[in-house]
Amino acid sequence: MAEEKDQVGKILYTQSAITKRAKEICAQIDKDYEGEEVILLGSLKGSVMWLVDIMKYTTIDTKIDFITASSYGSSTTSSGVVKISYEPQTNMYNKNILIVEDIVDTGNTLKYLISKLNERGPKSIKVCTMLDKKARRTTDIKPDYIGFDVEDFFIIGYGLDYDQRFRDLPYIAYLEEDDVESI
Ligand code: IMP
Ligand code: MG
């Protein structure tokens, strides 16, 4: 038997809690898009585990693609500059696009992403985020599907990283200062 990973940070949501919530959201997505085709557009890299859950538990006709957008804002300004470094190849004209995100923080990344994707003439654009950190929002972005609301913590695991580490943890946790000192 393989050994389990060492626990890092304070656990907020276990794998079973995440699976349960993903199934609830997918039932809603199935209902909302009944009879329609949906392109699940995973925002790399953080959305990978959540994207797998969404594609696994929805029963509607889905296709997947990915986009990479990173926000380079200084910590003192709320208007971060966003850069797209990987463009999806899928033709989005007249298609339903469901952006799958790891976490919405200020909302800068999503706001930019949605405006760029709108140039491709999609039928619809909605957002399904695993986590919503509402306290930090500086834009008018409101995700359509939200896994869990989280407080203003630094979150790791289930795709989310701290300096590219801990994306592989099968749970959602937060880091406190004493955790950061010991890793
Ligand atoms: P926004 O543009 O401020 O909404 O930034 C969203 C992006 O910042 C997310 O997609 C994550 O990649 C990253 N991010 C925001 N909060 C956290 C966190 O608590 N842990 C890890 N990454 C985060
Ligand atoms: Mg992200």
Side-chain angles (χ1 to χ4, degrees):
M1 268 269 284
E3 283 181 37
E4 292 211 0
K5 296 179 198 294
D6 287 337
Q7 191 192 310
V8 187
K10 318 262 182 312
I11 295 183
L12 286 171
Y13 298 104
T14 59
Q15 174 70 78
S16 63
I18 300 166
T19 302
K20 180 169 177 276
R21 185 68 187 127
K23 287 179 177 174
E24 287 169 5
I25 285 186
C26 288
Q28 188 62 49
I29 292 172
D30 280 347
K31 226 169 147 183
D32 295 349
Y33 289 98
E34 201 186 340
E36 304 256 342
E37 185 193 78
V38 177
I39 295 168
L40 301 175
L41 187 65
S43 170
L44 290 173
K45 303 173 191 172
S47 74
V48 283
M49 287 206 197
W50 182 239
L51 174 81
V52 169
D53 287 343
I54 301 300
M55 63 193 281
K56 205 156 51 170
Y57 302 127
T58 44
T59 61
I60 47 163
D61 188 5
T62 55
K63 296 209 168 90
I64 62 164
D65 207 337
F66 297 95
I67 192 163
T68 308
S70 352
S71 156
Y72 299 94
S74 97
S75 52
T76 50
T77 56
S78 57
S79 57
V81 177
V82 182
K83 202 186 107 192
I84 292 186
S85 53
Y86 174 76
E87 293 262 7
Q89 305 303 308
T90 307
N91 181 0
M92 295 186 182
Y93 182 73
N94 208 25
K95 298 278 165 54
N96 295 304
I97 309 299
L98 183 56
I99 301 172
V100 180
E101 260 290 9
D102 49 359
I103 186 166
V104 185
D105 190 34
T106 62
N108 279 322
T109 312
L110 261 181
K111 191 165 182 143
Y112 179 77
L113 231 153
I114 290 169
S115 75
K116 290 306 279 181
L117 293 172
N118 262 320
E119 294 171 5
R120 297 177 175 220
K123 183 174 178 184
S124 69
I125 299 184
K126 284 192 185 183
V127 176
C128 172
T129 189
M130 178 169 80
L131 300 172
D132 190 1
K133 215 192 261 185
K134 289 193 173 72
R136 297 248 315 157
R137 198 66 36 84
T138 56
T139 55
D140 55 1
I141 292 292
K142 284 196 186 71
D144 301 276
Y145 305 97
I146 298 165
F148 304 100
D149 284 307
V150 285
E151 287 176 54
D152 188 6
F153 292 133
F154 193 80
I155 313 283
I156 53 159
Y158 220 76
L160 285 155
D161 73 305
Y162 171 70
D163 207 11
Q164 298 302 324
R165 296 174 69 195
F166 312 125
R167 293 191 194 276
D168 56 344
L169 299 176
Y171 50 81
I172 297 167
Y174 67 96
L175 287 180
E176 285 184 320
E177 257 173 61
D178 57 320
D179 299 310
V180 176
E181 280 157 20
S182 64
I183 56 178

